[in-house]
Amino acid sequence: MPTNQEIAEKLREVYNLMQLAGENRFRAIAFDRAAQTIEGLSEPALQYVENRNLTDLKGIGKSIAEDIYSYVEKGTMPVLEHLREKVPNGLIEWLHISGLGPKNIVKIHRELGITEMDELKQACKDGRVASLSGLGEKSAAKIIKSIEWLEQFDERCLLSEANEIAETMKGYLEQQEGVQQIEVAGSLRRRNETIGDIDILVGADEQDAAGIFDAFVDHGMVVEVLGRGETKSSIRTEAGRQVDLRIVRPDQFPAALMYFTGSKEHNVGMRQRARARKLSLNEYGLFQLTEDRETDFDKPVDYNSENDIYQKLDLHFILPELRENWGELDYFEKHESMPLVEENDIQGVIHAHSTWSDGKYTIEQMARASAEKGYTYLGISDHSRTAAYAGGLSIDEVKRQWDEIDRLNETFVKEGVEMTIFKGIESDILGDGSLDYPDGILEGFDFVIASVHSGLDMPLDSMMERFMKAIEHPVTRMIGHPTGRLLLRRDGSKLDMNRLIDWAVRNDTIIEINANPWRLDLDWRHGTKARETGLHTSINPDAHTIDGIDDIRYGVMIARKAQFDKKRVLNTLSASEFKNWLACTSGK
Ligand code: DGT
Ligand code: CA
Ligand code: CA
Ligand code: ZN
């Protein structure tokens, strides 16, 4: 029986194909909305199928309900079969090309008769795309650039996707006989924003290894076994992700875990440190060096954990997310620990969209969902008026939204719901660095997030001026997704982030960590600079849906990697502390 996720995927496929088939836009969107509803259910959708009451759910009408019944009960969805006949599969991939919408996809496909990404790239290069009406040289160049991005990163995936696969696989392997220790290693354990392959390490006795590998390659998500050996097997999942499983003896586990966690550069530093102490560190353990400085495998140094190994090398334990060669060895030689923000510290949701702009849920729904997830405040920040494509708010709408928020806050007080909504806006930073409303309106918000949404590829100097002017504005409390990058899809703006951080600190302005897995922007690589200057951040989901609020967890991962402690993260404040923070005028 299909899971909620599988049903949602089918619905989303209908949505994608409908766009390409040129069907009515609203009809297509209805499928996307239904997919979101199913994904967001906290109980199995099958329950509703059995009771024939799917239409009780918001966003699921009669005809989509019939499609779902049919899919669950007969394994097919007529609408989907029909669309699949009509639209070549290759075109779905094209939807990933940024800047190429369904209309143009269909036009290119019809007029040039091509369906594959490679063919499209060729057609852009030889001028066939540019010759189509409404496309031109510029569009063709943009498409090529975007395809090259996709190609370059085809082998990698987002942290969120890898994390889900790894959690499933780890949970499954944990239950296999003989597994004594298990840990995810590699870039995923270090919480990198994109992941090449997923590395899992198991500690087990040699005679149990074969059975564990059998179970591994047998898992339902495996579509291809890439290799099977005595100590390592690799598989590929349906979505094309590679998972490596290594099995080592339990006594080797800590050293192997350290080795396979990396980063490579961190490992190099550790090995040098070991040699300076007449020791040798490798994936099998920590050993004495012989007279002629070879590893003496007969003289192992005792350890029981990664922590022990660090201590033998005169270091304090280094959290995996900090093992990136930014100077962590020096730091943990002198410091016992580095306090880092935790998921539990987060008390409020800042930066969320509602149906007033391009969000999928009302403010009330977003607020109640936030409360249910344990948060005590919600800072709504819809798009500003210039972002017309995203339903940016006119001045009149802003005022009506404020009224709605006041009413909702009163309702929550009456009902005893512990939830306060704050009035924010995600104001576009216009080309010249000014914000999107007259000051009189801007001052009426509780907070302003200033973000760039257009003209992302300005030259560095102009971009810096633009940002610096926006930061200087007295109402700007924080900068949203500074580079505007979309991981694996689109490069961010050119920025001198060191200068920008200095300027933000000087102007008492926060730079958010956008927690959307596609963004994770501010990049953690600026973490040391941020710590040294005392930059504050806010871990913002930029949620457009209720599920989107949960992206906060990825933001926390990146904030930790960027060395942020609780004190430098705005939304660890309680609702009343946050209110005070809003009330105190910044030092600009
Ligand atoms: P990825 O998969 O590209 O996202 O990045 P990683 O870091 O997971 O890299 P991967 O899967 O190739 O290897 C996992 C870890 O194993 C890596 O972080 C460090 C360790 N490792 C692998 N090969 C080497 C090597 O040649 N030298 C050293 N020192 N460590 C290595
Ligand atoms: Ca890896
Ligand atoms: Ca690997
Ligand atoms: Zn934005």
Side-chain angles (χ1 to χ4, degrees):
M1 282 292 143
T3 62
N4 291 2
Q5 195 57 42
E6 283 164 336
I7 297 173
E9 271 164 27
K10 289 286 174 256
L11 294 170
R12 205 151 271 137
E13 191 180 345
V14 174
Y15 164 67
N16 283 332
L17 288 169
M18 275 192 166
Q19 295 186 76
L20 294 173
E23 302 255 346
N24 179 300
R25 209 171 81 88
F26 294 101
R27 203 171 156 232
I29 288 173
F31 277 89
D32 185 41
R33 204 166 287 146
Q36 277 169 23
T37 302
I38 299 286
E39 261 169 355
L41 281 181
S42 50
E43 63 272 335
L46 293 178
Q47 222 165 282
Y48 291 90
V49 174
E50 271 164 32
N51 299 332
R52 274 288 185 281
N53 64 343
L54 268 173
T55 48
D56 290 354
L57 296 171
K58 239 195 184 131
I60 299 195
K62 227 173 138 218
S63 103
I64 293 185
E66 290 302 327
D67 290 327
I68 298 175
Y69 297 142
S70 156
Y71 171 58
V72 171
E73 284 159 6
K74 304 190 197 111
T76 66
M77 215 183 259
V79 59
L80 186 56
E81 304 305 320
H82 177 71
L83 283 164
R84 275 182 180 159
E85 271 169 32
K86 224 165 128 186
V87 183
N89 228 335
L91 292 188
I92 293 188
E93 293 292 305
W94 295 17
L95 287 169
H96 294 304
I97 299 170
S98 85
L100 185 63
K103 267 205 192 116
N104 279 330
I105 292 179
V106 174
K107 180 187 286 174
I108 295 172
H109 163 65
R110 289 228 177 104
E111 309 221 349
L112 304 180
I114 55 177
T115 54
E116 301 307 314
M117 193 81 91
D118 290 347
E119 294 176 308
L120 174 60
K121 192 172 166 190
Q122 189 51 42
C124 285
K125 283 190 171 158
D126 61 25
R128 274 178 294 156
V129 168
S131 71
L132 298 176
S133 71
L135 277 144
E137 293 287 345
K138 249 189 168 165
S139 314
K142 226 173 139 188
I143 295 171
I144 294 177
K145 222 174 142 199
S146 177
I147 293 179
E148 279 168 356
W149 257 93
L150 290 171
E151 287 171 347
Q152 180 183 352
F153 288 106
D154 204 11
E155 296 301 315
R156 302 188 72 78
C157 73
L158 298 181
L159 172 62
S160 49
E161 184 186 344
N163 195 52
E164 270 172 37
I165 295 171
E167 278 180 0
T168 306
M169 194 49 107
K170 186 179 170 213
Y172 164 78
L173 288 174
E174 245 159 16
Q175 292 164 22
Q176 305 305 319
E177 210 174 303
V179 174
Q180 300 181 34
Q181 294 130 300
I182 180 164
E183 222 35 270
V184 173
S187 51
L188 182 52
R189 184 164 184 243
R190 300 198 313 278
R191 303 313 196 191
N192 277 17
E193 69 279 18
T194 66
I195 305 295
D197 61 13
I198 297 162
D199 300 282
I200 301 181
L201 185 70
V202 159
D205 294 330
E206 259 159 77
Q207 71 267 19
D208 293 327
I212 300 168
F213 281 132
D214 284 342
F216 175 60
V217 299
D218 236 25
H219 189 279
M221 72 165 82
V222 175
V223 293
E224 190 187 353
V225 180
L226 300 168
R228 162 103 200 228
E230 298 279 295
T231 60
K232 178 183 168 190
S233 288
S234 301
I235 59 97
R236 196 179 291 287
T237 71
E238 193 173 15
R241 308 309 351 145
Q242 182 179 332
V243 186
D244 292 348
L245 173 66
R246 294 184 180 82
I247 304 183
V248 300
R249 289 201 323 258
D251 61 296
Q252 294 173 334
F253 187 83
L257 179 59
M258 181 179 278
Y259 180 87
F260 291 112
T261 297
S263 63
K264 278 182 189 134
E265 297 75 16
H266 178 88
N267 290 352
V268 168
M270 290 292 285
R271 277 203 300 274
Q272 284 168 352
R273 240 186 127 80
R275 292 189 81 81
R277 286 164 180 73
K278 299 210 177 100
L279 299 172
S280 164
L281 178 66
N282 55 44
E283 59 189 290
Y284 308 104
L286 187 61
F287 304 89
Q288 309 264 356
L289 284 182
T290 60
E291 299 269 297
D292 42 6
R293 301 187 67 76
E294 299 285 335
T295 305
D296 192 341
F297 283 99
D298 293 330
K299 289 192 182 155
V301 177
D302 253 4
Y303 60 80
N304 284 312
S305 62
E306 276 188 323
N307 190 18
D308 286 351
I309 300 175
Y310 281 112
Q311 294 205 337
K312 296 272 169 351
L313 302 185
D314 303 313
L315 291 169
H316 298 287
F317 181 71
I318 305 181
L319 288 163
E321 51 268 66
L322 298 177
R323 301 180 194 173
E324 293 288 356
N325 197 37
W326 49 266
E328 70 274 17
L329 298 190
D330 290 339
Y331 183 94
F332 284 94
E333 186 171 47
K334 299 187 198 86
H335 302 85
E336 213 166 295
S337 64
M338 179 183 277
L340 298 179
V341 62
E342 289 171 20
E343 221 180 312
N344 272 334
D345 295 330
I346 305 297
Q347 303 206 43
V349 179
I350 301 174
H351 196 164
H353 298 263
S354 74
T355 44
W356 281 90
S357 65
D358 59 349
K360 300 289 192 319
Y361 294 85
T362 63
I363 298 181
E364 176 166 6
Q365 288 172 318
M366 293 296 279
R368 289 194 190 274
S370 299
E372 267 166 39
K373 292 173 194 285
Y375 300 107
T376 55
Y377 54 100
L378 169 67
I380 280 288
S381 55
D382 275 308
H383 286 286
S384 62
R385 61 183 178 181
T386 295
Y389 58 90
L393 273 57
S394 67
I395 290 178
D396 183 54
E397 286 171 318
V398 165
K399 291 184 174 160
R400 283 192 285 131
Q401 187 184 62
W402 289 345
D403 289 341
E404 178 175 322
I405 292 175
D406 287 336
R407 273 200 309 277
L408 283 167
N409 278 332
E410 280 166 30
T411 308
F412 292 148
V413 171
K414 269 189 221 139
E415 291 181 9
V417 176
E418 201 189 346
M419 169 51 58
T420 311
I421 307 170
F422 291 96
K423 298 163 187 157
I425 191 81
E426 184 181 12
S427 169
D428 266 38
I429 301 176
L430 306 182
D432 65 356
S434 55
L435 300 183
D436 207 4
Y437 297 104
D439 287 354
I441 296 294
L442 289 170
E443 283 156 11
F445 290 103
D446 291 325
F447 66 95
V448 173
I449 306 175
S451 308
V452 167
H453 290 115
S454 57
L456 277 89
D457 45 11
M458 274 187 171
L460 182 126
D461 284 346
S462 338
M463 202 62 179
M464 284 300 289
E465 264 173 50
R466 189 177 175 191
F467 265 104
M468 286 166 88
K469 189 168 161 208
I471 288 173
E472 231 170 5
H473 196 297
V475 301
T476 304
R477 299 310 292 265
M478 64 183 98
I479 291 295
H481 48 71
T483 74
R485 73 178 179 192
L486 292 179
L487 291 166
L488 313 181
R489 284 196 190 165
R490 173 178 92 195
D491 234 332
S493 302
K494 292 188 204 70
L495 284 174
D496 179 343
M497 205 48 87
N498 285 335
R499 256 173 75 212
L500 201 73
I501 289 173
D502 280 331
W503 191 251
V505 171
R506 173 126 52 106
N507 285 280
D508 208 5
T509 299
I510 278 174
I511 300 180
E512 80 171 4
I513 289 179
N514 191 296
N516 183 312
W518 287 103
R519 296 188 181 272
L520 302 176
D521 180 19
L522 184 70
D523 189 292
W524 59 267
R525 289 167 186 80
H526 305 296
T528 304
K529 172 76 182 177
R531 179 167 53 79
E532 287 169 0
T533 55
L535 179 80
H536 284 235
T537 192
S538 180
I539 300 175
N540 295 349
D542 194 357
H544 289 71
T545 61
I546 285 171
D547 283 350
I549 297 169
D550 297 333
D551 286 343
I552 285 178
R553 63 184 301 207
Y554 304 111
V556 171
M557 291 178 192
I558 294 301
R560 290 170 61 82
K561 197 167 177 60
Q563 307 167 35
F564 279 94
D565 64 354
K566 183 181 167 182
K567 289 198 203 94
R568 288 191 296 124
V569 178
L570 177 68
N571 51 339
T572 63
L573 296 180
S574 68
S576 64
E577 287 167 337
F578 180 63
K579 204 168 175 180
N580 288 340
W581 180 84
L582 292 171
C584 87
T585 44
S586 62
K588 288 179 206 175

